[in-house]
């Protein structure tokens, strides 16, 4: 089932400037996990904001969970069903105590206090921050703050969450925690996840990768399909996962390797096999 559908979606910030999102028509399946890649300025954040109704199309349309984002009376339903997590957790945290921060949205929606207690406990548990409920938000690490920000979005009970470079400001541990949280939300809670990232190792976890270039969809496919296109990705200033690059380079040297290898262990097995073949006098290419 389709959850988000865009039709010839086009956007520009100012009349006298070029379009930053051009004629994008795509469908995002309910419960899917999509990564969006693209060089800086390719329109990823703009597209994300269009998908959850923060920005309105100049032409074309966006439908989220059956509602057109251009219908003003439906905008709250859209905002509730499609949340966003941004790069800097400091800009998203509104309260000084963790549990108050997570309670902020349901309180504003007028949810009864008893239910709020349960929502806050559940959401903090989902992101592994339940033991920090009474901690000060400002003392947390970047990764912990980002998990609280995710809990705050979860408190709205969204069907979809868009992460806009949500791991970019974090240290490697924080980045791993947030990547794990995204995967868990998708696999265990069935939340539709869209993640914009520069980290290829995060993109390979997705079911689908969409590459934007100059406001247009440049590539769209499974991680294996997309990362098989090493030259196309390089042509738009993107990289591929390290192991994919290694096998690609060896392949350019004339070795015969399958394309689109994404995982380290998979590459290790292939290389080991090749070495074994060579040591028993087999074909070394
Ligand atoms: N608020 C804004 N006002 C005017 N131009 C903007 C604004 N935000 C982004 N842009 C421009 O729109 C283009 C796409 O930006 P953005 O969607 O942020 O790309 P990305 O997230 O892929 O880096 C860029 O040229 C950028 O300078
Ligand atoms: Mg951006």
């Amino acid at each position: 089932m389709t959850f988000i559908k865009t039709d010839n979606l086009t956007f520009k910030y100012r009349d006298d400037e070029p379009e930053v999102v051009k004629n994008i028509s795509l469908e995002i399946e309910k419960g899917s996990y999509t990564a969006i890649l693209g060089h800086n300025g390719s329109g990823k954040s703009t597209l994300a904001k269009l998908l959850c109704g923060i920005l309105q199309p100049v032409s074309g349309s966006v439908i989220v969970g059956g509602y057109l984002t251009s219908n003003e009376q439906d905008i709250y339903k859209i905002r509730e069903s499609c949340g966003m997590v941004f790069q800097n957790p400091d800009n998203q945290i509104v309260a000084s105590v963790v549990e108050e921060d997570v309670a902020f949205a349901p309180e504003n929606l007028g949810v009864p206090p008893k239910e709020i207690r349960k929502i806050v406990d559940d959401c903090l548990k989902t992101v592994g921050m339940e033991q920090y409920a009474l901690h000060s938000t400002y003392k947390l690490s970047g990764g912990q703050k980002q998990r609280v920000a995710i809990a705050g979005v979860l408190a709205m009970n969204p069907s979809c969450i868009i992460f806009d470079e949500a791991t970019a400001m974090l240290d490697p541990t924080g980045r791993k925690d947030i990547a794990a949280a995204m995967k868990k939300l998708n696999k265990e809670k069935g939340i539709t996840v869209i993640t914009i990232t520069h980290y290829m190792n995060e993109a390979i976890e997705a079911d689908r990768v969409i590459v934007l270039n100059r406001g247009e969809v440049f590539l769209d496919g499974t991680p294996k399909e997309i990362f098989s296109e090493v030259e196309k990705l390089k042509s738009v200033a993107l990289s591929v996962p390290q192991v994919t690059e290694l096998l690609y380079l060896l392949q350019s040297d004339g070795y015969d390797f399958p394309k689109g290898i994404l995982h380290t262990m998979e590459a290790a097995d292939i290389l080991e096999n090749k070495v074994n073949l060579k040591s028993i006098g087999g074909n070394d290419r």
Side-chain angles (χ1 to χ4, degrees):
M1 200 169 81
T2 304
F3 183 64
I4 298 178
K5 184 173 193 303
T6 76
D7 243 315
N8 288 312
L9 176 61
T10 298
F11 181 85
K12 50 180 157 183
Y13 284 96
R14 287 170 37 162
D15 286 344
D16 56 347
E17 282 182 357
E19 291 154 346
V20 296
V21 167
K22 287 179 219 161
N23 267 312
I24 292 188
S25 296
L26 53 82
E27 292 184 24
I28 304 283
E29 282 292 296
K30 197 167 169 49
S32 62
Y33 189 167
T34 305
I36 299 181
L37 307 179
H39 192 55
N40 282 339
S42 58
K44 305 180 298 296
S45 295
T46 305
L47 175 64
K49 288 175 189 160
L50 287 161
L51 295 185
C52 57
I54 295 174
L55 292 174
Q56 294 297 326
V58 167
S59 65
S61 61
V62 181
I63 297 174
V64 179
Y67 299 105
L68 262 175
T69 61
S70 52
N71 276 349
E72 229 167 85
Q73 71 269 24
D74 294 330
I75 207 71
Y76 280 106
K77 281 178 224 147
I78 291 169
R79 295 278 177 81
E80 273 177 55
S81 72
C82 191
M84 259 190 97
V85 177
F86 298 92
Q87 195 174 90
N88 188 346
D90 286 329
N91 295 343
Q92 296 170 84
I93 287 176
V94 291
S96 55
V97 176
V98 168
E99 64 176 21
E100 283 171 14
D101 190 81
V102 181
F104 184 79
E107 264 169 7
N108 277 321
L109 294 170
V111 176
K114 235 182 160 175
E115 278 178 47
I116 293 183
R117 181 76 260 162
K118 189 175 174 336
I119 292 171
V120 169
D121 291 345
D122 285 351
C123 295
L124 283 175
K125 206 163 169 205
T126 301
V127 298
M129 286 296 286
E130 66 273 32
Q131 69 276 38
Y132 291 89
L134 298 171
H135 282 229
S136 298
T137 46
Y138 75 91
K139 284 188 187 159
L140 302 175
S141 71
Q144 290 171 330
K145 278 185 196 165
Q146 199 61 302
R147 282 193 272 159
V148 172
I150 294 172
V153 172
L154 282 175
M156 313 260 283
N157 195 25
S159 307
C160 172
I161 304 181
I162 304 180
F163 294 86
D164 189 356
E165 296 193 37
T167 64
M169 293 180 69
L170 308 180
D171 61 20
T173 312
R175 199 176 301 146
K176 248 187 204 162
D177 288 347
I178 298 307
M182 284 181 211
K183 202 167 172 179
K184 180 173 171 188
L185 294 177
N186 178 253
K187 299 285 175 285
E188 292 176 19
K189 305 255 165 198
I191 292 178
T192 307
V193 170
I194 300 175
T195 179
I196 296 170
T197 183
H198 283 296
Y199 295 101
M200 299 305 153
N201 286 337
E202 290 172 21
I204 64 175
E205 297 295 333
D207 313 321
R208 175 182 181 188
V209 177
I210 296 172
V211 180
L212 290 191
N213 185 45
R214 297 171 188 265
E216 292 176 295
V217 174
F218 179 69
L219 294 171
D220 183 352
T222 62
K224 209 174 176 68
E225 285 163 355
I226 299 304
F227 292 119
S228 296
E229 304 282 358
V230 179
E231 272 142 48
K232 276 193 187 163
L233 289 169
K234 287 182 187 238
S235 77
V236 293
L238 290 178
S239 60
V240 297
Q242 274 181 339
V243 288
T244 315
E245 174 84 20
L246 172 67
L247 293 193
Y248 168 77
L249 289 173
L250 287 169
Q251 205 172 26
S252 316
D253 272 353
Y255 289 91
D256 180 26
F257 286 118
K259 276 187 171 184
I261 298 300
L262 308 175
H263 298 278
T264 311
M265 288 319 290
E266 205 182 353
D269 285 345
I270 289 170
L271 287 168
E272 188 185 37
N273 226 339
K274 199 64 96 179
V275 172
N276 285 344
L277 274 179
K278 197 174 176 184
S279 67
I280 57 169
N283 185 353
D284 68 346
R285 294 238 153 172

